[in-house]
Every structure is written in C-alpha cells, then in structure tokens.
Amino acid sequence: MNVFEILGMLVAIISTGAFLLQVYKTWKTKNTKGLSLTMYVSFFIGVSLWFVYGFYLNSLPMILANIVTTISTLILIGLKLKYK
C-alpha cells in the first residue's frame, strides 16, 4: 500500500463513519422528517456509480467506502419510507 492508498483508506473510514452515524441516529430516533427522499435516492445512485468506478480502478478504499455507503443509503431510504 502506498501513501495515497493509506490516505484513501483514512478518508473512506472517516466519511463512511460519519454517514453511518446519521443512519444510526435515524434508526434510533425513527425521525426522518429532516431527510429528503429525493436527495437520498440521488445520493444512492451517485455512490453506486462511485462503487462501480472504484471497482473499475481496482481501488479498495473506493470500493469499500462506497459499498458500505450504498447499503447505508438504502437503509436510510427504507427508514424514510417506513417512518414518513
């Protein structure tokens, strides 16, 4: 692993971790009033494409961060639909 791959892993952990905190808070409080369904659907499409791009580049940090974020976004979308 070179310095940029290590940096990529660090960024992936921090940014994905921050997003997971939002998922946890939403799941715990069941409050989705402030979440935009349109934004999260768009975000889901975006991170799904970033995952594909990371796979194309064979970039482990991009693949890991975006697969976790894609799944987390699906969970948030599900919570938004469930707790309208």
Side-chain angles (χ1 to χ4, degrees):
M1 241 190 219
N2 68 36
V3 70
F4 291 107
E5 289 174 329
I6 293 169
L7 180 63
M9 280 294 216
L10 182 61
V11 171
I13 290 167
I14 292 169
S15 59
T16 303
F19 193 77
L20 288 173
L21 291 173
Q22 179 65 56
V23 174
Y24 177 75
K25 181 181 179 184
T26 304
W27 174 74
K28 194 79 168 159
T29 64
K30 297 174 181 36
N31 181 359
T32 62
K33 185 177 180 183
L35 301 180
S36 165
L37 183 60
T38 305
M39 185 290 251
Y40 278 101
V41 169
S42 299
F43 186 71
F44 169 76
I45 293 167
V47 293
S48 297
L49 293 173
W50 273 113
F51 166 73
V52 172
Y53 185 58
F55 192 77
Y56 169 75
L57 294 178
N58 198 28
S59 171
L60 187 59
M62 285 179 77
I63 293 167
L64 293 177
N66 287 298
I67 194 68
V68 171
T69 305
T70 298
I71 292 166
S72 301
T73 304
L74 277 176
I75 292 169
L76 269 181
I77 290 169
L79 291 172
K80 177 68 176 174
L81 294 171
K82 183 176 182 178
Y83 299 118
K84 275 186 176 181

